[in-house]
């Protein structure tokens, strides 16, 4: 969780360099980035989550002042009609939007994830999308996880995370793997039994390849820069070499 938070913070700052004026944080949970990060005062930040979560945050944070323009909306993200209406509304009133789905896509079905990706790509003002990813495909969950996740199981499993989203109009602009972030912040990657024991028995190159399968990614819409404002030039696009190696 710490590694994911740190990596996504960095990707948000990266996206801000491209002139982001609006952030749509879908499934924001208890995230407090509008209070703790150094953000432009003019940035519009919209949080969407279940009404009960929004009510809790409004109550707990009422005495704290965000550093940017903050709005909260109570919604079930799987209510397609309501979400479509909100996305269209915010899409029409912004020029350069970043979407964040931290800790969300794993609980979406493949169909729901594809629908969301398609809808976001169709809105011209939405330029970037930050996701946390797990590109391990159809691997089995660690022992005991199935029972723990019974109420909210992981549903989104595809053969190749990046190829999946490329089909719906999104390509990786910058990737930070959990292993890379753990090295950067000097926080050893947790290796639970028996997964940790197996990794230690593998050659170093192979074990590092496996550890590079998860992390956070800044996706960019593949719609041409000429039709979307504040477009990036190709030479600013960065992809993690270690992740690209893990996909070969």
């Amino acid at each position: 969780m710490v590694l994911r938070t740190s990596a996504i913070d960095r990707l948000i700052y990266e996206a801000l360099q491209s002139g982001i004026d609006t952030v749509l944080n879908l499934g924001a949970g208890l995230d407090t980035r509008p209070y703790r990060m150094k953000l432009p005062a003019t940035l519009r930040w919209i949080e969407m989550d279940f009404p009960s979560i929004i009510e809790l945050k409004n109550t707990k944070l009422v005495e704290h002042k965000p550093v940017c323009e903050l709005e909260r909306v109570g919604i079930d993200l799987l209510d397609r009609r309501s979400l479509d209406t909100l996305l269209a509304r915010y899409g029409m009133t912004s020029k350069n939007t970043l979407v964040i789905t931290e800790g969300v896509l794993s609980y979406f079905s493949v169909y729901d994830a594809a629908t969301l990706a398609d809808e976001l790509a169709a809105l011209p003002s939405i330029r970037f999308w930050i996701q946390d990813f797990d590109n391990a495909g159809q691997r089995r969950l660690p022992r005991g996880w199935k029972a723990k996740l019974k109420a909210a199981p992981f549903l989104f499993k595809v053969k190749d995370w990046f190829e999946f989203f490329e089909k719906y109009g999104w390509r990786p602009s910058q990737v930070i793997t959990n292993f890379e972030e753990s090295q950067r912040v000097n926080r050893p990657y947790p290796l639970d039994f028996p997964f940790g024991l197996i990794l230690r028995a593998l050659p170093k190159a192979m074990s590092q390849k496996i550890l590079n399968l998860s992390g956070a990614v800044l996706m960019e819409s593949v719609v041409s820069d000429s039709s979307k404002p504040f477009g990036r030039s190709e030479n600013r696009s960065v992809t993690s070499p270690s992740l690209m190696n893990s996909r070969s």
Side-chain angles (χ1 to χ4, degrees), residues 3 177-180 182 187-191 195 199-200 211 214:
L3 299 179
T177 70
N178 284 337
F179 181 70
E180 291 168 341
S182 71
R187 191 180 183 98
Y189 197 91
L191 298 175
F195 184 61
L199 280 180
R200 289 184 176 89
L211 289 173
S214 60

Side-chain angles (χ1 to χ4, degrees), residues 120-124 126-127 168-171 220-229 231-232 234:
L120 293 179
L123 294 170
I126 296 182
R127 294 285 286 110
Y168 297 97
W170 297 93
R171 64 186 173 198
E220 181 179 10
S221 171
V222 300
V223 176
S224 64
D225 289 344
S226 60
S227 65
K228 287 197 174 186
R232 284 183 155 207
E234 286 299 315

Side-chain angles (χ1 to χ4, degrees), residues 20-62:
I20 292 296
D21 60 17
T22 302
V23 174
L24 294 178
N25 192 355
L26 307 184
L30 301 180
D31 176 46
T32 58
R33 287 187 175 94
Y35 297 88
R36 65 173 179 78
M37 291 184 69
K38 295 180 179 179
L39 304 171
T42 56
L43 180 69
R44 184 170 62 160
W45 189 292
I46 298 98
E47 297 183 340
M48 299 185 191
D49 212 318
F50 290 114
S52 59
I53 298 294
I54 297 301
E55 182 180 359
L56 174 63
K57 292 186 76 172
N58 285 338
T59 301
K60 296 295 184 181
L61 297 173
V62 65

Side-chain angles (χ1 to χ4, degrees), residues 129-140:
W129 182 4
I130 292 177
Q131 311 167 350
D132 56 304
F133 68 89
D134 184 347
N135 209 21
Q138 300 287 339
R139 72 180 180 187
R140 296 176 60 184

